[in-house]
Amino acid sequence: MKNLILIRHAKSSQDYNSVSDKERPLNARGKKAAPFMAELLKKKGVNFELLISSPAERAYATAKKFADVYEYNRKEIKIVEELYGADIHEIVEIIQSIDDKFNCVGLIGHNPDLTQFNNYMTDTYIDNIPTCGISSIQFDIESWKDIEQGIGKLLFFEYPKKHNPLL
């Protein structure tokens, strides 16, 4: 059994004039939402063995907030360049390359990529994974190489405003 936790990066700055899209940092709301959602996952019993992040500043900053809550070594966050702007098939390739010793993996990325990937892998349609939203998908497989369209089961879908309207 393999569990993939899709995490959309937390809310980022909308100031496109001072930095490139890839360099946009988290805003104040994002800095609060990321640890809040990490704590929520912890209470649900999710135990990451591996965190994979897009190289974009807002995704990596989100990954670091999750790592801190989980006491996961920030240096062990795997940054995958291809996650920035990935399509469904690129995400599948990234997942298929995960070492099978890891059974619970958190993947921090972007929309619309993560929403489309969730809908490709499960029979549960999600219209939009909002910022810092989380989709937990379970695969009845022994190897990550065996993931394919439609075989995932959505365990839960959480997002900050579901629990706190200020986030």
Side-chain angles (χ1 to χ4, degrees), residues 9 13 30-31 50 53 62-64 67 82 96 98 120 127-128 130-131 138-139 145 149 158 162 165:
H9 65 77
S13 169
K31 289 175 184 175
L50 176 65
S53 177
T62 301
K64 290 188 289 188
E82 295 79 12
Q96 288 176 334
I98 295 172
Y120 181 79
D127 186 50
N128 176 52
T131 51
Q138 184 175 66
F139 297 96
K145 290 173 184 49
Q149 183 177 4
E158 300 287 356
K162 182 176 176 181

Side-chain angles (χ1 to χ4, degrees), residues 100-118:
D100 288 330
K101 71 180 181 182
F102 300 113
N103 293 310
C104 185
V105 176
L107 186 133
I108 300 95
H110 309 273
N111 252 4
D113 318 338
L114 295 184
T115 298
Q116 292 169 350
F117 182 78
N118 176 87

Side-chain angles (χ1 to χ4, degrees), residues 31 41 47 50 69 97 112 125 136 160:
K31 289 175 184 175
L41 279 186
N47 292 307
L50 176 65
V69 168
S97 73
Y125 178 81
S136 175

